[in-house]
Amino acid sequence: MITLVTVTYNAEKELKRTLESVKSQSYGDYEHLIIDGASTDGTVDMALRYRDGARKGQVVVISEKDNGLYDAMNKALDIAKGDFICFLNAGDTLHSTETLQHVADAAKGKEDKVGIIYGHTDIVDETGRFLRSRRLQPPTRL
């Protein structure tokens, strides 16, 4: 199983893209943890509608006051069930509908030997239009 973690706080404008991206994945053995810091906009309602309409994967929504981004990330790590964890920020998207399948294929049968699966990231504008590849690249050898 793959765990996706999305940490939010008043992210109503950014979150929809992320939820649509996860929902479109062909691979279904994932959990999506949405850890919200007690948002006051429509973030929580959007996340709950997404959870209630999920047809694959498991979706958990937790909304409560926290001590910031890293506290919320640690909450997610405490409850994550996946063999691999991907932090997917509100507004971020997975590259294609096959991204989780590619990750699962790369790790299949090697879960006890693989510690990191690294992928390239692209920078896009608010409409999702490609701007450039991220300048950070994976090292030749970890």
Side-chain angles (χ1 to χ4, degrees):
M1 179 188 294
I2 299 169
T3 297
L4 300 167
V5 175
T6 303
V7 173
T8 60
Y9 181 70
N10 289 339
E12 179 181 20
K13 292 179 182 173
E14 297 83 16
L15 185 59
K16 183 177 181 181
R17 283 176 46 171
T18 304
L19 302 182
E20 292 296 325
S21 175
V22 174
K23 189 165 76 171
S24 75
Q25 292 299 296
S26 62
Y27 184 78
D29 189 18
Y30 65 85
E31 67 175 349
H32 191 181
L33 306 178
I34 301 169
I35 311 297
D36 179 76
S39 290
T40 57
D41 64 357
T43 300
V44 177
D45 289 338
M46 182 184 299
L48 292 172
R49 283 192 308 275
Y50 165 73
R51 180 198 66 193
D52 294 345
R55 295 189 179 159
K56 58 186 165 201
Q58 301 168 356
V59 179
V60 175
V61 178
I62 297 172
S63 181
E64 60 191 17
K65 183 90 171 110
D66 58 37
N67 292 312
L69 176 68
Y70 297 111
D71 183 40
M73 293 169 82
N74 283 318
K75 282 182 191 181
L77 291 174
D78 286 343
I79 63 171
K81 297 176 186 157
D83 297 309
F84 294 94
I85 299 173
C86 172
F87 287 94
L88 190 64
N89 296 321
D92 288 354
T93 60
L94 298 164
H95 180 70
S96 76
T97 59
E98 302 296 315
T99 297
L100 293 182
Q101 185 64 58
H102 292 308
V103 170
D105 291 345
K108 189 171 182 109
K110 301 177 237 168
E111 292 84 358
D112 60 336
K113 296 176 185 172
V114 175
I116 295 173
I117 298 174
Y118 192 95
H120 296 280
T121 55
D122 292 331
I123 306 298
V124 299
D125 66 15
E126 58 278 346
T127 67
R129 185 177 58 89
F130 174 82
L131 298 175
R132 62 182 164 80
S133 293
R134 189 169 178 178
R135 65 177 174 80
L136 299 174
Q137 299 296 315
T140 305
R141 181 174 166 86
L142 288 173

